[in-house]
Amino acid sequence: MNTIFVGDIHLKSRAILPLIDKIIESYNVNKVIFLGDYTDFPGQEHNIQLYVKDLIYLSEWKENALKNNIEAINLIGNHDIYYYLGTKAEFSIKDEDVFWAIGDFLEELSLQVAYQLDDIIISHAGYNQYFNPEPWHFKPLTLENSKALEQLANTIGPLRGGSSKGGSPVWADYNELISQPNKNIKKQIVGHTPTKCIDISKDIISVDTFAVDNQLRLFGNGDVLYYNKCNKFQVINTNWKSEKILVSLEQLIYS
């Protein structure tokens, strides 16, 4: 099965997913794995229209993908988990009603903590030595998982400003994965820590290439990771770092 991995979206679905559509068509993609963080954009905590329009677009995109026999897997990120739990974080949207509506929306995406593809473990932030994948991580979340999710939400390592020894699979910084490796996992794909480009030579591959700051500066080049039925990785370049994308992002935020 031909699979692509899409890094953190952060309310940029309307700019990113058209690029993904082109890849799906060109590479005969059957499965798309999103690595979480669909919500929140730096400095836009009061921009209700941005949240509403972008999340509706994402939901409709997934619905259409399923109609075209394309499986869409949605993992949960550290930004999403607080909406799911109903506990605001400092980066969450400020409007109370919209906050709760986003939590309801995320439930419809059938989020899960991790996904396994062959011998590869995929999660938002990755598994360091303090966490191992558990069976429930690979299933759609339910209310029964709330207490365990709270632990993941509250376990933040020092590189992300927390007091824990290392972050959870929704919070671990990439450098924590390197310095505190989980020796039980051979290969991981993660988002969460922005990267300028994708390096498939590493055992832990970061795909968070769509990061943008509050001044609309693009950190990554928008590469997308592709995995084909012969179990080989390939980096697919997109036209992310372009004037067209910058104009598109401005329209998303300010329209």
Side-chain angles (χ1 to χ4, degrees):
M1 183 170 287
N2 297 333
T3 303
I4 55 175
F5 307 86
V6 181
D8 308 26
I9 289 179
H10 285 300
L11 299 177
K12 301 188 294 294
S13 293
R14 290 172 288 167
I16 294 172
L17 293 181
L19 303 177
I20 300 303
D21 286 333
K22 292 179 181 179
I23 295 173
I24 289 173
E25 183 177 355
S26 299
Y27 289 82
N28 192 27
V29 170
N30 314 105
K31 180 181 294 186
V32 182
I33 301 177
F34 294 95
L35 278 86
D37 275 3
Y38 315 100
T39 57
D40 303 332
F41 190 106
Q44 298 299 314
E45 297 84 2
H46 297 279
N47 192 342
I48 295 174
Q49 288 298 315
L50 174 62
Y51 281 79
V52 172
K53 290 180 179 180
D54 209 76
L55 293 177
I56 288 175
Y57 186 94
L58 174 61
S59 177
E60 292 178 346
W61 185 93
K62 180 170 182 175
E63 183 178 343
N64 289 329
L66 294 175
K67 290 179 180 177
N68 290 304
N69 297 315
I70 298 168
E71 185 180 8
I73 303 296
N74 293 93
L75 305 183
I76 192 168
N78 62 302
H79 281 257
D80 315 313
I81 199 168
Y82 296 99
Y83 292 98
Y84 191 91
L85 292 171
T87 305
K88 280 190 178 182
E90 60 180 279
F91 42 69
S92 303
I93 193 169
K94 304 308 178 187
D95 186 276
E96 192 77 22
D97 292 335
V98 177
F99 174 83
W100 288 102
I102 292 172
D104 293 338
F105 162 81
L106 291 176
E107 287 189 25
E108 296 178 4
L109 286 182
S110 298
L111 301 178
Q112 54 195 74
V113 174
Y115 188 84
Q116 181 163 358
L117 183 63
D118 297 330
D119 62 345
I120 309 163
I121 301 296
I122 306 108
S123 64
H124 176 65
Y127 291 86
N128 54 35
Q129 66 178 349
Y130 302 108
F131 285 87
N132 283 307
E134 299 181 28
W136 69 271
H137 290 181
F138 300 99
K139 300 176 182 178
L141 297 171
T142 68
L143 292 177
E144 295 178 357
N145 306 129
S146 294
K147 285 191 176 182
L149 282 174
E150 287 178 9
Q151 180 186 9
L152 299 187
N154 295 328
T155 306
I156 306 172
L159 293 181
R160 293 297 178 127
S163 58
S164 301
K165 293 181 179 179
S168 74
V170 300
W171 264 113
D173 189 86
Y174 186 85
N175 289 313
E176 291 176 2
L177 303 179
I178 301 302
S179 62
Q180 304 165 350
N182 187 314
K183 297 181 180 179
N184 298 319
I185 304 176
K186 181 179 179 182
K187 196 84 174 181
Q188 295 193 62
I189 296 174
V190 300
H192 187 55
T193 302
T195 184
K196 291 184 177 180
C197 59
I198 294 174
D199 186 352
I200 60 175
S201 69
K202 298 181 179 296
D203 289 333
I204 305 174
I205 303 174
S206 174
V207 298
D208 186 8
T209 62
F210 294 112
V212 176
D213 68 12
N214 59 4
Q215 298 182 43
L216 297 186
R217 290 177 295 198
L218 309 181
F219 182 81
N221 64 359
D223 280 352
V224 172
L225 182 62
Y226 170 74
Y227 184 72
N228 67 23
K229 57 186 177 181
C230 298
N231 301 344
K232 292 185 178 180
F233 287 112
Q234 179 181 340
V235 176
I236 300 176
N237 301 118
T238 66
N239 195 31
W240 178 249
K241 276 203 165 182
S242 65
E243 185 66 28
K244 181 179 179 181
I245 290 297
L246 288 174
V247 171
S248 175
L249 291 175
E250 288 180 355
Q251 291 175 342
L252 297 185
I253 293 172
Y254 301 118
S255 63

